[in-house]
Amino acid sequence: MPNIGTGEIILILLIVLIFFGAKKIPELAQGLGKGIREFRKASREVQDELEKPATDSKKIEDKNAG
């Protein structure tokens, strides 16, 4: 994973400020936040779907054993 230092973050923010202007930054940040939230929600749902069959099969095995 690449390491991003303080200098690189400042450079990225300056480039964003130059290209989009100060008024667009809150909109961009809001859109980025929504995107990250949706990605986390989708990944959580996929993880739950993957774990669900494993727990269901374990319950069936426990019923058969007990």
Side-chain angles (χ1 to χ4, degrees):
M1 184 171 207
N3 290 330
I4 297 177
T6 306
E8 288 88 3
I9 292 174
I10 291 172
L11 180 64
I12 291 169
L13 290 176
L14 283 174
I15 291 172
V16 168
L17 185 64
I18 289 170
F19 281 115
F20 297 108
K23 292 181 181 179
K24 289 280 186 177
I25 290 178
E27 294 175 19
L28 291 171
Q30 188 178 21
L32 183 64
K34 284 182 182 178
I36 290 172
R37 194 175 322 123
E38 290 294 321
F39 177 76
R40 286 183 180 165
K41 181 181 173 186
S43 66
R44 193 177 323 120
E45 288 175 358
V46 168
Q47 189 174 9
D48 288 345
E49 288 294 321
L50 292 174
E51 290 176 357
K52 186 177 178 180
T55 56
D56 288 344
S57 66
K58 186 172 181 169
K59 287 179 182 177
I60 292 172
E61 288 176 5
D62 290 342
K63 281 185 176 180
N64 291 337

